[in-house]
Amino acid sequence: AMNRVQLLGRVGQDPIMRQVEGRNPVTIFSLATNEMWRTGDSEVGQGGGDISQKTTWHRISVFRPGLRDVTYQYVKKGSRIFVEGKIDYGEYTDKNNVRRQATTIIA
């Protein structure tokens, strides 16, 4: 079995460090990746068609103590970084007591 994710993108906002009761702190930030592709029926070499772009936002969580602190200290909004980790499909209960999915990359 393998659960491995590699992302290269830009940081959406300065990381925050969250202290969860009874657990070690976690550093959290969002990362944007862009996909680009050509649309239309352009022949190869003609350069026709439009270029479309899609931005995907990922939630990154850093639990490992050394990495967590370095991330919080040095990663800033707009930084271009490479993240490697595993994908985690968690659940949480929001303030209205509704169960929600929370997909995060454990870096």
Side-chain angles (χ1 to χ4, degrees):
M2 189 165 111
N3 177 355
R4 193 156 156 235
V5 181
Q6 292 181 321
L7 299 169
L8 179 64
R10 287 200 185 275
V11 177
Q13 84 284 334
D14 290 349
I16 57 166
M17 196 178 285
R18 201 169 274 169
Q19 179 74 54
V20 183
E21 208 176 313
R23 293 212 218 142
N24 290 329
V26 56
T27 294
I28 299 164
F29 64 95
S30 60
L31 188 76
T33 54
N34 291 318
E35 289 172 72
M36 291 173 114
W37 65 93
R38 212 175 262 292
T39 57
D41 301 325
S42 62
E43 290 294 312
V44 174
Q46 291 294 313
D50 295 318
I51 291 177
S52 291
Q53 178 173 303
K54 181 188 175 207
T55 301
T56 304
W57 288 96
H58 313 269
R59 175 188 164 96
I60 315 293
S61 297
V62 190
F63 291 96
R64 202 186 301 163
L67 195 57
R68 172 191 70 208
D69 300 337
V70 164
T71 301
Y72 181 68
Q73 202 173 344
Y74 293 109
V75 172
K76 296 289 174 236
K77 177 180 177 172
S79 299
R80 191 160 180 265
I81 62 168
F82 176 75
V83 172
E84 190 168 85
K86 65 174 186 177
I87 195 160
D88 180 73
Y89 299 100
E91 275 193 343
Y92 69 98
T93 305
D94 72 11
K95 59 180 188 293
N96 302 317
N97 238 17
V98 177
R99 301 288 287 160
R100 295 195 179 277
Q101 296 294 118
T103 302
T104 189
I105 308 299
I106 311 294

